Amino acid sequence: MAALPDGARQRERFREVYDTYRAAGPQAAGARLAAVLEEREAEEDGPGGQPLSRDEELSSPMALFLAHVLVPFTSYVPHPAPFSAPLTLAAGADSRGQLLHRTAAFLAERYGGGFAEFPGGHIGAVQHPEAFADRLAEALGAGRTGVEG
């Protein structure tokens, strides 16, 4: 997300998710994260909560993601040179108009990769397993030429 033209704003918004996690726990941070990914403003009176203890944090994959992965992952900017190997970036059709879709399409264009749209949203493989598998086979069959559409 940091590579986007509005990358500084996106980094700031993900930092707000992290700060919310630390202040009010994973439920409140999850609500703010959803708003960020959907590119809408977060509701200020969203779910409340409390920070997790260290043991609670270690036992929750979502808490570990919010505490240790979210900010570094969303702050990464790929090297400006084109991809050294054929690469197709993908996004779910249901996320069209949202941050994840916008980021994948932007990076594909910026770095000369292909772009493929898959059924569903962020977890399209779970939502539409057969259609997702068919689209994946199609995308993999496209080889080095990339995929559009």
Side-chain angles (χ1 to χ4, degrees):
M1 283 67 158
L4 291 168
D6 63 339
R9 172 71 178 128
Q10 297 308 326
R11 282 191 305 276
E12 179 183 310
R13 293 195 76 202
F14 283 108
R15 177 52 98 171
E16 290 169 2
V17 172
Y18 172 82
D19 292 344
T20 299
Y21 168 71
R22 286 295 179 208
Q27 184 178 3
R32 185 170 290 269
L33 178 59
V36 170
L37 295 176
E38 293 168 7
E39 299 204 84
R40 60 179 170 78
E41 290 303 315
E43 296 176 22
E44 291 304 317
D45 60 345
Q50 347 180 16
L52 298 181
S53 71
R54 178 84 170 140
D55 287 342
E56 290 171 321
E57 184 173 279
L58 292 174
S59 68
S60 167
M62 183 62 169
L64 285 171
F65 170 76
L66 291 167
H68 303 288
V69 177
L70 179 69
V71 171
F73 179 78
T74 58
S75 297
Y76 176 73
V77 177
H79 189 275
F83 297 128
S84 60
L87 183 64
T88 297
L89 291 116
D94 292 351
S95 65
R96 210 176 287 139
Q98 297 177 5
L99 184 59
L100 296 177
H101 192 284
R102 184 165 67 93
T103 301
F106 174 81
L107 291 174
E109 183 177 327
R110 180 175 182 185
Y111 295 115
F115 178 76
E117 218 175 54
F118 283 77
H122 188 62
I123 55 171
V126 174
Q127 296 168 320
H128 308 283
E130 290 182 25
F132 188 95
D134 290 345
R135 182 67 178 112
L136 180 59
E138 180 184 325
L140 292 173
R144 298 178 187 275
T145 61
V147 176
E148 295 297 324

